[in-house]
Amino acid sequence: MAFARIRDIEVCYEVEGSGPPLRKIWGTGGDLRRPATDFDRRLAERFTVLAFDQRGMGRSGKPARDYSIADYTDDAAALMAAVGWKKVAVLGYSFGGMVAQELALRHPACVDRLVLMSTTAGGAGGMSYPMHELAALPDDARVKRFLELADRRRTPQWQEANASLWSTLLADGLAALRQGDDDPAARDGARRQMAARRHHDTWDRLPRLRMPVSVFAGC
């Protein structure tokens, strides 16, 4: 992992893999300290992947103020410039997909093609679940609700039938949530990230995109 000074913060990032360059912008709570998933490993087998901790998260800076989608977007563009990447493919997942949409709209010269996964355009296109409301829940209830939202198959019946797996998912989620507890700014950073999504709205501007766009979603 490495650090770059961009705009008003230091950003923690990593470049892994081999192949064509791919900019990855991950979702709510993304943190490079967490173990790589199978998806991460498979991407790195085919692409040179640039990933980073967004402001307020992981080991990146956590300014004590509200954040906007524009902040996250301009951070993403500034980091690309800092590492010498120009026009590349961009993949955005969930909250990262919101940032990726804005990146393609605000900084189109950075985006060769756009891949959006499990995300939303907001506005008239429909908002995602109000994730900022989870911040007020106790940790165990917050993790449980987040896991249920992440996969709608995890109904109460499924949880009962897969009690051991469900218990493991809850424990891992709780550990991930509390990973930054030694950093007094981490909880505020996570809350500010979730609050920023409330104002996401690219619906009326999406027709301006001129690069190839692929959209993937599941239920």
Side-chain angles (χ1 to χ4, degrees):
M1 296 182 188
F3 291 85
R5 182 75 189 182
I6 61 167
R7 305 181 67 230
D8 60 333
I9 60 172
E10 289 236 328
V11 167
C12 177
Y13 71 95
E14 65 181 13
V15 179
E16 291 189 338
S18 60
L22 174 68
R23 182 64 193 276
K24 183 177 73 172
I25 308 178
W26 220 231
T28 300
D31 189 329
L32 293 178
R33 293 173 295 186
R34 294 178 185 162
T37 65
D38 286 341
F39 185 77
D40 295 325
R41 286 187 285 270
R42 290 177 180 177
L43 280 181
E45 290 172 0
R46 299 288 300 273
F47 300 94
T48 300
V49 181
L50 169 61
F52 70 119
D53 287 336
Q54 299 188 67
R55 67 172 53 225
M57 306 307 301
R59 283 178 281 189
S60 288
K62 303 171 180 64
R65 63 171 180 82
D66 291 341
Y67 309 151
S68 68
I69 293 290
D71 280 324
Y72 291 103
T73 301
D74 293 346
D75 289 347
L79 179 59
M80 288 181 65
V83 300
W85 283 29
K86 295 183 179 179
K87 194 171 187 177
V88 302
V90 174
L91 182 154
Y93 168 73
S94 188
F95 177 78
M98 301 177 193
V99 176
Q101 291 169 57
E102 283 288 356
L103 179 66
L105 289 163
R106 289 170 63 87
H107 304 278
C110 293
V111 184
D112 178 60
R113 58 191 61 235
L114 184 62
V115 180
L116 303 173
M117 298 171 53
S118 301
T119 191
T120 177
M127 294 299 294
S128 63
Y129 183 87
M131 298 290 287
H132 58 280
E133 294 180 359
L134 299 184
L137 296 176
D139 286 355
D140 53 353
R142 178 177 170 183
V143 168
K144 180 177 183 293
R145 187 64 183 133
F146 185 86
L147 290 170
E148 290 169 341
L149 291 168
D151 190 333
R152 294 301 181 94
R153 294 171 296 181
R154 294 169 179 160
T155 62
Q157 294 78 15
W158 184 93
Q159 295 169 27
E160 183 176 354
N162 299 271
S164 179
L165 174 57
W166 181 239
S167 178
T168 299
L169 290 171
L170 290 171
D172 289 349
L174 193 58
L177 177 64
R178 293 175 173 169
Q179 187 172 40
D181 278 359
D182 57 339
D183 180 350
R187 290 271 177 149
D188 282 342
R191 177 184 56 79
R192 291 183 173 112
Q193 185 192 52
M194 288 195 290
R197 62 193 293 143
R198 288 181 297 174
H199 306 294
H200 169 66
D201 182 359
T202 59
W203 179 256
D204 292 332
R205 294 177 289 141
L206 289 178
R208 301 180 195 170
L209 297 178
R210 293 294 179 263
M211 71 286 294
V213 180
S214 298
V215 180
F216 297 87
C219 59

